[in-house]
């Protein structure tokens, strides 16, 4: 993934107003991110734990989406699998819901998917981060095939948001 700047991220939001795009706390460590190992930039807003954001290249342009994700209760630490990277977690997967872009979103329509709660899918796929509980599914896919799969899953989710 190419390195993104804060202005690029803020101008890339597709499912919120320009005013809303100015509010999120964009990570301060953008220069230190492992961009060569990311398929998308994902982060949670430290001032609003129920808010998360995802930015990536989609259809030749940088696109960003605002996500809502309720914090799981402590008793909800059950096993789940991320729909983006297919990493199993114990209590580390969250349902993330994105308002749709345009009129559909203004009418309250949204799409959701289960994503790693820390949005570090790219690092799990590349083995740079271990999931809680250390569980990994053995796959016969190559790293390149896993990367193509996560890119396809992210693109499919974004296509639903912008449709």
């Amino acid at each position: 993934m190419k390195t993104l700047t804060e202005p690029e991220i803020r101008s890339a939001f597709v499912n919120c107003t320009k005013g809303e795009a100015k509010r999120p706390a964009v990570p301060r460590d953008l220069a230190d991110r492992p961009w060569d190992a990311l398929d998308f930039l994902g982060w949670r807003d430290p001032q609003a734990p129920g808010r998360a954001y995802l930015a990536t290249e989609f259809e030749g342009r940088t696109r960003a989406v605002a996500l809502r994700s309720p914090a799981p209760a402590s008793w909800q630490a059950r096993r789940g699998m991320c729909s983006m990277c297919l990493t199993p977690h114990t209590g580390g997967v969250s349902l993330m819901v994105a308002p749709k872009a345009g009129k559909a979103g203004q009418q309250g329509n949204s799409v959701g998917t289960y994503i790693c709660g820390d949005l570090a899918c790219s690092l799990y796929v590349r083995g740079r981060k271990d999931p809680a509980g250390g569980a990994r599914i053995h796959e016969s896919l190559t790293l390149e095939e896993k990367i193509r799969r996560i890119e396809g899953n992210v693109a499919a989710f974004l296509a639903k948001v912008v449709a």
Side-chain angles (χ1 to χ4, degrees):
M1 181 173 177
K2 74 172 192 130
T3 304
L4 297 176
T5 63
E6 183 174 340
E8 287 174 317
I9 294 168
R10 292 195 187 282
S11 66
F13 278 99
V14 297
N15 65 343
C16 59
T17 66
K18 288 181 182 181
E20 291 169 332
K22 292 178 183 178
R23 292 186 205 126
V26 174
R28 301 268 183 238
D29 64 344
L30 289 176
D32 300 328
R33 295 285 171 132
W35 293 101
D36 60 328
L38 296 180
D39 303 297
F40 65 88
L41 172 66
W43 75 98
R44 286 190 174 266
D45 189 332
Q47 285 91 29
R51 297 248 179 225
Y53 306 92
L54 183 149
T56 192
E57 289 293 313
F58 179 69
E59 296 180 342
R61 295 181 14 204
T62 301
R63 302 285 181 111
V65 293
L67 304 162
R68 292 185 311 262
S69 174
S74 61
W75 55 270
Q76 289 181 312
R78 56 184 156 179
R79 197 153 182 79
M81 182 180 286
C82 174
S83 297
M84 298 294 175
C85 65
L86 302 183
T87 300
H89 294 272
T90 300
V93 175
S94 299
L95 175 62
M96 304 252 181
V97 179
K100 291 189 83 164
K103 271 191 179 174
Q106 293 168 356
Q107 294 171 346
N109 296 321
S110 60
V111 294
T113 192
Y114 288 93
I115 304 177
C116 295
D118 60 2
L119 297 138
C121 301
S122 300
L123 302 179
Y124 291 120
V125 164
R126 288 166 175 82
R128 291 188 175 193
K129 191 168 184 178
D130 289 321
R136 284 200 186 274
I137 296 174
H138 175 73
E139 295 184 277
S140 60
L141 297 177
T142 65
L143 177 58
E144 291 76 24
E145 290 170 324
K146 291 177 187 179
I147 291 169
R148 280 197 302 274
R149 179 178 62 197
I150 191 174
E151 289 171 344
N153 290 341
V154 171
F157 178 68
L158 284 174
K160 291 176 187 175
V161 173
V162 299

